[in-house]
Amino acid sequence: MTRNLDIAGRTAAVLCAAAVLTGLTTAPSERPGRFVYVANLHSDTVSVVDTRSGTVVDSVPVGDGPDSAALGPDGSRLYVTDSAADTVSVVDTRTRTVVETVGVGHEPSRVTVSPDNKNVYVANVGAGTVSVISTRTLTVTHTIAVGDAPLGLAVTPDGRTLYVATAGTDSVSVIDTDSGTVTDTLSVGGGPTALALTPDGCHLYVSNLTSDDVSVVDTRARTETDRIPVGDQPAGIGVLPDGSRVHVADLGSDDVSVISTRSRTVTDTVAVGDGPNGLAVAPDGRTVHVSNFDSDTLSVIDTRTSRTTATVPVGDGPTGVTTQQAPR
């Protein structure tokens, strides 16, 4: 949720602890999904939530306006976009401290890491570009021009293709990661905001903030094959590890739409907090975590029952949510 882009009447681009905790030095577990990390836009921190206890166990100060966060495949580093500082904070998850700050483009919004852990991709919503950061040198190696207001990012399982949702042009840019060039532009719904690939990489789901629907893109044919109506102002999106369902945070209706990938219809709606926007699926697919921007909380959804089972107070203005994924 960067600060200067207004989509559908919201001031700031949408995504994607009740008090600051100090003196907590619990060592992170290497088990994927043990911790959920929440970027808090207004408190300039990242909340670390222990999924076993359902509590915030640490709060990590980062740069100004943290909007989104992504873990590397091994879980050792967390990358956080500082939207108001035009930087990315690199956090060591063992020590829970910022070990490097990397300058990127104007208003970095979303971030993701390549499956081989070699590159970090950052969507700069204010610059219309994607910055490519080398995880070895922690420097920007390439800057790729895309469409207006790039937000959501998704990398294919083989790491060869990067998809970028460009909210200002109602499209998705397709980037060849080897050459660093845009090879195609795909038309989708209004204000595409977040992206999620199925585990096999064959379908891309796109949340369209201003048309209140989700586009389904066949990645082989590179065409939109379906559009599914959901709640008001869909933002964060995630696919379960088995590919059976898609969860979408509906910012304007304070709920999460559950989509069956087989029928391509909404099969359930789950009430969460106020202003849900960021969303992360647990590695085992049993839970989905949703950041509620307007109520400063994190909702935990049981995917077997499609019900909210816990609400965790986090920082001020939570946006991006991430957790380490299980190895493919």
Side-chain angles (χ1 to χ4, degrees):
M1 183 173 286
T2 49
R3 294 180 175 180
N4 297 325
L5 179 66
D6 186 5
I7 298 177
R10 290 258 177 177
T11 302
V14 178
L15 209 116
C16 318
V20 173
L21 305 181
T22 59
L24 297 173
T25 56
T26 306
S29 164
E30 295 181 357
R31 181 171 64 85
R34 167 70 189 278
F35 296 101
V36 173
Y37 299 87
V38 185
N40 303 305
L41 185 76
H42 291 156
S43 55
D44 298 339
T45 61
V46 172
S47 296
V48 184
V49 179
D50 187 324
T51 59
R52 296 192 302 188
S53 65
T55 59
V56 173
V57 295
D58 215 340
S59 183
V60 183
V62 290
D64 190 13
D67 183 20
S68 182
L71 280 165
D74 63 2
S76 64
R77 283 179 176 173
L78 178 74
Y79 301 90
V80 184
T81 54
D82 308 316
S83 65
D86 296 345
T87 59
V88 170
S89 293
V90 183
V91 177
D92 183 317
T93 58
R94 182 182 61 83
T95 62
R96 293 179 184 152
T97 57
V98 174
V99 295
E100 189 64 81
T101 302
V102 184
V104 290
H106 184 45
E107 288 188 88
S109 176
R110 308 301 164 77
V111 60
T112 194
V113 186
S114 62
D116 62 8
N117 202 29
K118 291 184 178 180
N119 293 299
V120 177
Y121 301 105
V122 182
N124 304 305
V125 66
T129 61
V130 171
S131 296
V132 183
I133 299 172
S134 164
T135 59
R136 183 180 61 83
T137 63
L138 294 181
T139 59
V140 174
T141 59
H142 297 89
T143 300
I144 305 166
V146 291
D148 184 29
L151 290 170
L153 300 167
V155 189
T156 53
D158 62 11
R160 295 179 178 177
T161 304
L162 173 69
Y163 298 99
V164 185
T166 48
T169 56
D170 298 341
S171 63
V172 173
S173 295
V174 183
I175 295 174
D176 180 298
T177 57
D178 287 335
S179 64
T181 58
V182 175
T183 60
D184 210 344
T185 302
L186 315 177
S187 295
V188 290
T193 298
L195 306 176
L197 280 163
T198 52
D200 59 9
C202 292
H203 290 94
L204 179 72
Y205 288 83
V206 185
S207 61
N208 300 310
L209 187 76
T210 60
S211 57
D212 298 337
D213 51 30
V214 169
S215 293
V216 184
V217 174
D218 183 319
T219 58
R220 290 165 293 192
R222 292 189 175 181
T223 57
E224 182 188 53
T225 58
D226 214 338
R227 200 175 291 181
I228 306 164
V230 289
D232 187 20
Q233 293 182 301
I237 192 168
V239 182
L240 295 189
D242 64 3
S244 64
R245 281 170 288 166
V246 177
H247 288 71
V248 187
D250 300 318
L251 177 71
S253 50
D254 299 339
D255 55 33
V256 170
S257 297
V258 184
I259 298 171
S260 164
T261 56
R262 183 180 61 82
S263 66
R264 293 185 179 175
T265 59
V266 173
T267 58
D268 219 329
T269 303
V270 186
V272 289
D274 298 335
N277 63 7
L279 186 148
V281 179
D284 60 10
R286 294 183 178 181
T287 54
V288 168
H289 295 82
V290 182
S291 62
N292 303 304
F293 185 79
D294 295 326
S295 56
D296 300 337
T297 58
L298 182 75
S299 294
V300 183
I301 297 173
D302 185 324
T303 60
R304 293 165 292 188
T305 62
S306 288
R307 295 293 178 269
T308 297
T309 58
T311 302
V312 183
V314 289
D316 186 9
T319 52
V321 185
T322 191
T323 186
Q324 186 186 355
Q325 296 302 300
R328 292 186 182 274

